[in-house]
Amino acid sequence: MKVAIVGAGLVGSTAAYAMTIRGSAREVVLIDTNAALASAHAEDILHATPFAYPARVRAGGFDAAEGADVVVLTAGVAQQHGESRLALLGRNAAVFADIIPPVLRAAPNAILLVATNPVDIMTEVALRVSALPAERVIGSGTILDTARFRALLGEMLDVSSQSVHAYVLGEHGDSEVLAWSSARVSGVPLDSFAGAPLSAEVHARIDAAVRRAAYRIIEGKGATFHGIGAGLARLVEAIRDDERAVFTVSLLTPEFDGVRDVVFSLPRVLGAAGVLRTLEPELSAPERAELRRSAALLKEAATALGG
């Protein structure tokens, strides 16, 4: 598996490090307009390989992406304190128009994995610019929000987060929807596992902790990168091994409750060819209404961009 990462900032370099430490890829190429930055990260990460897995880690121009199986797009302007992800749209859309054509000339058969925020709209931008089939243009979507939800539920219930099956759907951002009604612990409904229905206060506290996590982290250290770096590595592994595992990634969805052709997150089956299938978890009527509102918000933003 060869992975090219376009954007050697905090997210791109952390993703490269996570892929190297986890053994996600045998070759990782970092590409950035700041060639010195990309080279420095590549050299530093290469020095970690004796402690992890054998891998070739290097930097280069767009031609260095030749033969890549996956191209991860992390390039863009960083989110500022207090700035919503949707507010980033105008500042990041033009970046993709510059970087996607040359990277696809080098790696025409690659799957595009988008992490640049606002990730749902940027995934749609990548789809338009690349003209690739929708199943090969995948946004990281709410994989990190879902991981946050599961981690917090695991802590509260004193159980491994890997045994918690719960999803965050819709926008990776302020309108995201925590799907409480379909949450399970190894197949057991959440309230049954807890021994009593979870209170509205518990729901509100965890909802706020998940929904506002990025803002808190950005306020404390300037950016979020460890969680998403590990998440991107995990997605690469699912593609590499044709796992057909389920992740809440962002993809062009033909229709959801009357909202047509919208890019947002639902549980999707991911394998070597990209997204193979989309699932719809059990939702309460209020959750479904919230998810429709999230889809409509994203559709409105994409339309304003010219979709």
Side-chain angles (χ1 to χ4, degrees), residues 45 75 81 198 226 253 283 296 302 307:
I45 294 168
H81 171 53
L198 299 179
H226 288 128
T253 305
L283 298 172

Side-chain angles (χ1 to χ4, degrees), residues 59-306:
F62 289 115
D63 57 339
E66 183 178 4
D69 302 287
V70 178
V71 173
V72 181
L73 301 176
T74 68
V77 181
Q79 185 179 12
Q80 302 300 311
H81 171 53
E83 180 182 32
S84 73
R85 291 180 178 91
L86 289 178
L88 289 172
L89 177 57
R91 299 196 296 138
N92 274 335
V95 176
F96 275 22
D98 291 334
I99 64 178
I100 289 175
V103 81
L104 284 182
R105 283 195 290 271
N109 298 316
I111 289 173
L112 293 185
L113 186 53
V114 182
T116 302
N117 277 321
V119 68
D120 305 292
I121 305 300
M122 296 309 297
T123 301
E124 181 157 351
V125 171
L127 182 62
R128 294 181 200 171
V129 173
S130 68
L132 290 173
E135 65 270 14
R136 288 174 53 200
V137 183
I138 304 164
S140 57
T142 56
I143 60 166
L144 182 53
D145 310 279
T146 290
R148 290 165 175 159
F149 191 21
R150 293 178 178 183
L152 290 169
L153 287 174
E155 280 194 347
M156 182 189 69
L157 298 169
D158 195 24
V159 66
S160 168
S161 60
Q162 294 185 343
S163 294
V164 177
H165 303 281
Y167 300 112
V168 177
L169 311 171
E171 178 199 359
H172 173 52
D174 296 337
S175 72
E176 65 191 25
V177 179
L178 279 65
W180 288 93
S181 59
S182 60
R184 302 285 187 273
V185 178
S186 292
V188 178
L190 204 58
D191 288 343
S192 297
F193 187 90
L198 299 179
S199 68
E201 187 277 330
V202 168
H203 278 230
R205 175 166 48 82
I206 291 180
D207 184 287
V210 172
R211 194 180 304 276
R212 303 298 299 176
Y215 296 106
R216 291 193 307 276
I217 293 168
I218 290 169
E219 182 176 6
K221 68 172 190 174
T224 65
F225 45 90
H226 288 128
I228 190 58
L232 292 168
R234 182 67 187 90
L235 294 179
V236 164
E237 292 161 18
I239 295 168
R240 178 197 65 194
D241 297 336
D242 194 22
E243 283 187 38
R244 297 162 190 251
V246 177
F247 300 93
T248 51
V249 291
S250 190
L251 195 83
L252 179 67
T253 305
E255 189 271 338
F256 181 82
D257 275 13
V259 182
R260 301 190 60 82
D261 297 325
V262 60
V263 177
F264 74 149
S265 287
L266 288 170
R268 323 258 188 191
V269 179
L270 182 63
V275 169
L276 306 174
R277 183 182 174 191
T278 295
L279 312 174
E280 282 197 27
E282 175 186 329
L283 298 172
S284 66
E287 287 168 348
R288 192 168 190 92
E290 289 174 16
L291 186 54
R292 189 194 184 282
R293 284 194 292 271
S294 184
L297 174 67
L298 288 166
K299 181 63 179 180
E300 181 182 351
T303 300
L305 187 64

